[in-house]
Amino acid sequence: MSRFTKWVEAVADEPLEAVVIRSLDSRFKPLLHYATLAARHPGRDCEYVHQMRVWTRRVAVALWLYGPLLPKRRRKRLAAQVKSLRRASNDARDTDVFAQRLAADRGQSAAARLLKHVRSHRRDAQRPIVEVYHELFERERLMRQAAKLLRKIRLRKVRRRNVPTAAVPVCFGPWAEQRIQPLLDEFFAAAAADLTDLAILHRFRIVGKKLRYAIELLAAGFSERVRAEAYPAIRDLQDRLGEINDLDAAQARLGRWLEVAAVGEQTAYIRALMSQTRHLLEQRHPAFLIWWNAYGQAELRRSLTDLRPAPAPEPS
């Protein structure tokens, strides 16, 4: 499987617009790669759909983060198209995860029979991916619009003030420090919410994912400790939250399959899976809260201090 780097390399005093062009290009190319594999070769590796979804999120965060430099209508149109691609893959990804679970348990006859139905459903779930891919990529609609977007990058607020661009050099580092602040504020506000509620916990996970993908784009504007400490801390948090979210999503997915399963052996098997999943969720969620309140939150706050500008020295 081809490898793409999630990090954007830059130097703090590099012109902002050059970094933005390079950053967006580094997001659109992997999206095209994995969307092509997911649409054309779904049976080769279920990771194609997963990676396509990951890169749709990275593109979405990049479009939001660099919003002040992008033409609004083009940016919103691209964001909507990328979102449609991710939504088209929802059922396929859920089905892939369930099929993997059944394949690991196919020694049981009920699992083996159910797996046949799940694989049949997966073929049907492929259709929306192919349709959106044909519309956005085979017709080159999305990549053509992305190329136009890259040619339109500039700091619009500076131009509106009728100040010559050359007189106001904007460097990547200071801009990155300023731009990360709303994400940090949003993240810590979400962290202070009632995380005993699974819906609120899911919201916290989404906000953390947004911050994680923004760090990948902006880390070059900060010290190396951001990659060495802050990013691994965010990734660890995401892994823990992802495990809980997967269990919660599995409950809903199993409930849907219970409605269409054949009575008898398959029904009993799915009910057993639901009971097992519920039991794991009832263990992992409280365990996360204990870790978060006793250690995780304080450690994450400490590591993220490198993303906050240093306070100005007090006058002597």
Side-chain angles (χ1 to χ4, degrees):
M1 187 177 294
S2 179
R3 302 284 292 180
F4 294 93
T5 179
K6 60 192 173 187
W7 300 108
V8 173
E9 301 300 338
V11 293
D13 60 353
E14 187 174 357
L16 172 61
E17 293 175 6
V19 179
V20 174
I21 292 172
R22 191 163 65 249
S23 299
L24 288 171
D25 188 59
S26 75
R27 287 337 188 220
F28 283 117
K29 285 181 178 176
L31 178 58
L32 170 61
H33 175 79
Y34 286 113
T36 301
L37 292 175
R40 295 181 177 177
H41 308 288
R44 188 180 296 174
D45 192 338
C46 65
E47 188 64 13
Y48 294 155
V49 170
H50 180 215
Q51 287 300 318
M52 181 187 74
R53 289 170 60 81
V54 169
W55 285 101
T56 60
R57 293 190 180 99
R58 285 191 167 115
V59 170
V61 170
L63 290 172
W64 174 86
L65 192 69
Y66 299 129
L69 292 94
L70 307 177
K72 185 176 181 180
R73 286 187 3 190
R74 289 187 185 276
R75 174 179 59 83
K76 292 180 72 173
R77 187 183 304 120
L78 270 170
Q81 291 171 350
V82 170
K83 187 175 183 179
S84 71
L85 183 62
R86 188 177 72 249
R87 285 183 169 176
S89 66
N90 283 345
D91 191 19
R93 176 57 183 166
D94 285 349
T95 307
D96 283 341
V97 172
F98 190 36
Q100 286 180 311
R101 183 172 185 177
L102 292 174
D105 201 20
R106 59 186 172 189
Q108 293 199 32
S109 58
R113 292 193 185 95
L114 185 57
L115 182 57
K116 292 179 181 179
H117 295 295
V118 170
R119 285 175 173 165
S120 175
H121 178 77
R122 176 61 179 86
R123 288 190 288 272
D124 294 336
Q126 180 67 13
R127 192 175 302 114
I129 297 175
V130 173
E131 291 173 354
V132 176
Y133 173 79
H134 175 70
E135 179 68 23
L136 298 183
F137 292 99
E138 288 187 339
R139 295 181 179 178
E140 299 183 351
R141 181 179 172 191
L142 189 146
M143 299 308 292
R144 188 168 56 247
Q145 290 179 10
K148 290 179 180 178
L149 185 79
L150 295 180
R151 293 195 294 268
K152 300 285 186 179
I153 290 173
R154 59 179 173 81
L155 273 173
R156 282 158 170 73
K157 290 185 178 180
V158 172
R159 294 285 176 88
R160 278 203 298 268
R161 292 170 184 160
N162 296 319
V163 179
T165 304
V168 189
V170 179
C171 296
F172 171 66
W175 187 88
E177 289 184 353
Q178 180 185 32
R179 193 61 176 145
I180 201 71
Q181 294 312 305
L183 279 175
L184 289 173
D185 294 342
E186 184 183 19
F187 176 79
F188 287 122
D194 180 13
L195 301 184
T196 60
D197 186 316
L198 283 173
I200 295 175
L201 191 73
H202 177 65
R203 167 64 181 161
F204 179 44
R205 173 176 169 265
I206 297 301
V207 172
K209 189 175 293 187
K210 186 178 178 183
L211 177 60
R212 175 182 176 177
Y213 294 152
I215 290 174
E216 294 171 358
L217 293 164
L218 302 180
F222 301 91
S223 73
E224 282 299 317
R225 288 181 58 191
V226 168
R227 295 192 198 194
E229 296 183 21
Y231 187 82
I234 285 283
R235 185 178 57 203
D236 179 43
L237 173 66
Q238 287 294 298
D239 289 345
R240 293 171 186 268
L241 292 174
E243 184 179 19
I244 295 170
N245 181 73
D246 288 347
L247 291 169
D248 190 34
Q251 284 281 88
R253 183 167 57 246
L254 287 166
R256 292 193 296 270
W257 276 103
L258 184 63
E259 294 176 359
V260 298
V263 295
E265 188 181 29
Q266 287 186 21
T267 300
Y269 175 75
I270 293 176
R271 290 189 186 280
L273 286 182
M274 292 181 71
S275 177
Q276 181 185 22
T277 302
R278 183 171 56 253
H279 179 67
L280 285 172
L281 182 60
E282 290 170 351
Q283 287 182 327
R284 303 295 165 78
H285 187 191
F288 167 80
L289 295 174
I290 292 171
W291 169 81
W292 177 247
N293 293 322
Y295 172 78
Q297 183 170 195
E299 179 63 19
L300 195 59
R301 285 183 177 275
R302 184 196 64 75
S303 66
L304 289 176
T305 55
D306 286 333
L307 286 168
R308 294 189 180 278
E314 295 181 5
S316 57

